[in-house]
Amino acid sequence: MRVIGVDLAWGARNCSGVCAVEDGHVLDSACLRSDDDIEAWIRAWTDDELLVAFDAPLLVRNRTGRRPCESVIASAFSAERAGPYPANLTLLRGDVRAHRLARRLKLTVAPTALRRRPLRAAIEVYPHPALVVLLDRAERLPYKAKHGRTRDVRHAAMCELVQGLERFKRYDPPLDVTTSPRWSSLVAGCLTRSSEAAMKRVEDELDAYVCAYIGWYHLAWAGRRSLTVGDGTHGYIVVPVGSRHDALIRARARAARVRVG
C-alpha cells in the first residue's frame, strides 16, 4: 500500500509539497505547482492500492463561514491554537482543488473508504493538530510564516519539526523519513539561513511528510487511533488523537451534532 501526502496550495501559483510512503519508508518527495505536475508525480508512484492525504479542503458545500468539522477541531484544539483555517466556496472561488485532483486520479473521497478493497481513496488531513498529538506538544509548532513571527522562531520550529519527523521511525507504525533521497537537502534547507522563498518550499515539502504520516497512521491503525471528524456531505478531517483529545473532540462534536467516526 502506498500513501501520498500532499500539502496542496489553494492555487497553482504557490508550491505544493508531495511525499510518497510505502511500508514505513519514504520513497521520495518534491515541491510542485501545476495540477498536471502533481497528478503526474502521484501517478508515477501509484500502485494497485493508494491513499492520498491532502492538507487542503476536499469536500466543501458551504458558501461562507466554516465547515462543521473545522469548528469542532478548532474548539477541541483551541488551547494549543491548532485549529484549521475556514474553508468555503467564496474563499475558494468555487474551485475545490483537492476534490478536482482526486477526481482526476479516480479516487473516492468518502470518509468510509478505508473499509473497501482495493483501496483507492483521498482523505483530508491537517498537520497542526496532528503534530500537537504526535509530538506531544502543548501548542502548535510555529514554523509557518505569520505576521509578527520572527525567522529565528520559524527556523527553530522547523528544526524541531525535522527532529520530530526523524523520531517517527520509533513510532507505531514506524516511518523512516531518512530513506527519502530529498531528506538531506531538506535538513540543510532547514539549518541554513535561506531566502523566504526557499524556506517556504522546505516548509511545504515537510508538511507533505506530515500528511503522508497521518495517512499511514490512519491506515495502519484502521482508524482506531485517529478520528474522522465530519461526513461525506459537509466535509471531514482525519486527525490522530490521544485519550484527552479523543474525549474532547467527541464532546464538541456531540454538542455541535457533527459526526465522528
Side-chain angles (χ1 to χ4, degrees):
M1 175 75 69
R2 284 185 180 159
V3 178
I4 309 289
V6 183
D7 177 45
L8 187 65
W10 284 20
R13 292 177 60 186
N14 295 320
C15 177
S16 294
V18 290
C19 174
V21 166
E22 183 178 58
D23 295 333
H25 297 85
V26 175
L27 302 173
D28 201 3
S29 65
C31 197
L32 308 169
R33 292 186 187 276
S34 74
D35 287 3
D36 289 344
D37 286 346
I38 294 168
E39 180 185 358
W41 195 93
I42 293 174
R43 286 192 184 280
W45 290 109
T46 297
D47 206 343
D48 291 337
E49 295 193 283
L50 178 69
L51 179 66
V52 179
F54 284 104
D55 175 14
L58 184 59
L59 292 169
V60 183
R61 302 283 187 270
N62 51 307
R63 282 278 160 202
T64 60
R66 287 182 179 270
R67 295 176 296 167
C69 59
E70 294 161 350
S71 296
V72 169
I73 292 176
S75 177
F77 285 89
S78 61
E80 298 89 354
R81 297 183 294 170
Y85 294 110
N88 58 61
L89 293 173
T90 301
L91 288 172
L92 296 171
R93 298 181 180 178
D95 179 24
V96 186
R97 192 184 185 195
H99 190 271
R100 179 158 45 80
L101 277 167
R103 200 166 56 240
R104 287 174 61 162
L105 291 160
K106 295 181 170 57
L107 304 174
T108 179
V109 296
T112 56
L114 259 66
R115 304 169 192 166
R116 304 176 187 175
R117 290 296 182 274
L119 175 63
R120 292 188 59 81
I123 59 173
E124 181 179 338
V125 301
Y126 187 56
H128 277 315
L131 289 171
V132 164
V133 172
L134 294 170
L135 301 184
D136 194 23
R137 288 188 55 82
E139 62 180 9
R140 73 178 180 185
L141 197 56
Y143 61 97
K144 300 278 189 180
K146 184 180 179 181
H147 180 70
R149 182 175 291 161
T150 67
R151 292 185 68 181
D152 285 342
V153 167
R154 291 181 61 206
H155 269 291
M158 203 172 288
C159 289
E160 184 178 341
L161 175 58
V162 164
Q163 293 165 1
L165 287 168
E166 290 181 341
R167 290 200 302 274
F168 282 1
K169 65 184 175 184
R170 299 194 294 272
Y171 282 28
D172 187 5
L175 178 65
D176 188 352
V177 297
T178 65
T179 57
S180 167
R182 292 276 303 145
W183 188 250
S184 59
S185 296
L186 291 172
V187 172
C190 161
L191 296 175
T192 58
R193 293 285 177 172
S194 53
S195 68
E196 187 65 34
M199 197 171 174
K200 181 68 168 65
R201 286 194 296 272
V202 171
E203 172 197 309
D204 292 334
E205 206 164 333
L206 290 176
D207 268 345
Y209 283 68
V210 180
C211 294
Y213 187 70
I214 298 169
W216 175 237
Y217 187 92
H218 186 57
L219 187 63
W221 282 102
R224 294 191 300 275
R225 292 192 178 183
S226 50
L227 291 177
T228 301
V229 183
D231 56 48
T233 300
H234 302 99
Y236 66 92
I237 298 173
V238 172
V239 60
V241 290
S243 57
R244 184 173 75 86
H245 284 102
D246 184 296
L248 195 53
I249 288 173
R250 290 181 187 277
R252 297 290 192 270
R254 280 195 301 272
R257 297 183 179 178
V258 173
R259 183 173 179 178
V260 173

